[in-house]
C-alpha cells in the first residue's frame, strides 16, 4: 500500500465483519469479510475481493456505514477517486457510492459528485425512516466555480438519494455549513449509527483558519427530536 492509504471496519448482517481499505498502487478499493467465531488470523477465514479497481479509482478518502436492522446486510461506502490527477474530463466521478449486497457478493456503484464539482472528504449517513442515504463533503463556497485543487476548503454540502436506487442529482448539493466571513470549512464528520425521526441528523465540521468547530442539526420528521444540550448555540447553516 501507499503510505497514506487508509482503512475502515464495520459489522454487518447478524454475524459478519467487513474491512475496507484503499490500495492506490493498484487502483483498488479492497474489501475483506469474515464470519464471527472463525479464526481471525487464518487466511481461510477471510474472503477478499475488489470493491472497485481501475487506474486511479482509489484515493485515500473513504467512509463506511451499514444498516444493522437490514436483513439483507447491505454495506454502504463513500470513496474518493484519484481521476482528477490523470484527466481533465470534468464529468468523471470524484466521489462514488459503493453498495455491497451479501446476497450477490458484489458491489454496485453510483456517482455522488464529479471532478468538476471540486469535492473531497466524503461522509455518508443512513436515514432508515426515509430510506435515504445522505452524502456530505467539502467543496468551494457558494458562488465559487472551479478550484485550484480537489480538496480545497470552503463549505460543507449535502446530497441525498434513495438507498434502494442511489442516483444523486448533479452538482455539489445543498450547503449545510458555511462561514460567510471565512470560506475554510472542512473535514465533515458524523455518527456511525443510522438515523431516523427520533434522533435527528447532526454533522460537525471545522474551520482551521478561525480555529472553530461548527455543527448543523435538523429533525427528520416522524419522531420527537432530543433537546439541544444546554448552552449550545443554534445550528450553523449555510
Amino acid at each position: 500500500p501507499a503510505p497514506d492509504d487508509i482503512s475502515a471496519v464495520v459489522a454487518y448482517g447478524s454475524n459478519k465483519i467487513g474491512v475496507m481499505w484503499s490500495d492506490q498502487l493498484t487502483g483498488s478499493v479492497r474489501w475483506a469479510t469474515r464470519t464471527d467465531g472463525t479464526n481471525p488470523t487464518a487466511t481461510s477465514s477471510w474472503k477478499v475481493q475488489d470493491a472497485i479497481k481501475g487506474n486511479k479509482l482509489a484515493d485515500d478518502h473513504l467512509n463506511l456505514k451499514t444498516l444493522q436492522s437490514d436483513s439483507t446486510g447491505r454495506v454502504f461506502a463513500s470513496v474518493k477517486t484519484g481521476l482528477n490527477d490523470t484527466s481533465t474530463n470534468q464529468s468523471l466521478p470524484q466521489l462514488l457510492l459503493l453498495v455491497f449486497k451479501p446476497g450477490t457478493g458484489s458491489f454496485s456503484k453510483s456517482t455522488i459528485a464529479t471532478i468538476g464539482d471540486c469535492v473531497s472528504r466524503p461522509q455518508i449517513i443512513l436515514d432508515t425512516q426515509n430510506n435515504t442515504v445522505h452524502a456530505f463533503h467539502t467543496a468551494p463556497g457558494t458562488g465559487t466555480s472551479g478550484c485550484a485543487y480537489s480538496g480545497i476548503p470552503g463549505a460543507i454540502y449535502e446530497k441525498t438519494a434513495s438507498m434502494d436506487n442511489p442516483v444523486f442529482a448533479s452538482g455539489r448539493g445543498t450547503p449545510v455549513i458555511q462561514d460567510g466571513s471565512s470560506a475554510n470549512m472542512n473535514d465533515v464528520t458524523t455518527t456511525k449509527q443510522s438515523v431516523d425521526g427520533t434522533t435527528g441528523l447532526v454533522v460537525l465540521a471545522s474551520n482551521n483558519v478561525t480555529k472553530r468547530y461548527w455543527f448543523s442539526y435538523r429533525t427528520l420528521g416522524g419522531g420527537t427530536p432530543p433537546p439541544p444540550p444546554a448552552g449550545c448555540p443554534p445550528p450553523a447553516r449555510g
Side-chain angles (χ1 to χ4, degrees), residues 88-94 111 113-116:
T88 58
N89 184 346
Q90 301 293 287
S91 66
L92 291 178
Q94 187 76 87
T111 298
T114 66
I115 293 174

Side-chain angles (χ1 to χ4, degrees), residues 83-212:
L83 293 172
N84 57 296
D85 294 330
T86 60
S87 177
T88 58
N89 184 346
Q90 301 293 287
S91 66
L92 291 178
Q94 187 76 87
L95 301 182
L96 289 169
L97 180 74
L98 309 179
V99 182
F100 177 67
K101 300 176 181 178
T104 63
S106 61
F107 283 87
S108 64
K109 66 179 180 180
S110 56
T111 298
I112 297 174
T114 66
I115 293 174
D117 295 323
C118 297
V119 294
S120 187
R121 303 188 182 279
Q123 291 274 312
I124 53 173
I125 192 164
L126 305 177
D127 174 359
T128 56
Q129 182 166 316
N130 298 292
N131 197 42
T132 299
V133 54
H134 299 256
F136 298 92
H137 41 258
T138 299
T142 55
T144 302
S145 61
C147 56
Y149 58 89
S150 173
I152 190 169
I156 305 302
Y157 293 80
E158 176 188 17
K159 300 180 77 171
T160 61
S162 164
M163 286 194 289
D164 294 333
N165 182 32
V167 177
F168 294 86
S170 61
R172 294 171 179 167
T174 302
V176 292
I177 302 180
Q178 184 165 226
D179 185 341
S181 60
S182 177
N184 294 285
M185 302 306 303
N186 207 352
D187 297 318
V188 64
T189 187
T190 186
T191 180
K192 188 80 169 176
Q193 287 76 28
S194 302
V195 297
D196 58 29
T198 66
T199 64
L201 191 157
V202 178
V203 292
L204 177 74
S206 61
N207 185 322
N208 194 43
V209 174
T210 62
K211 308 300 182 184
R212 297 180 71 87

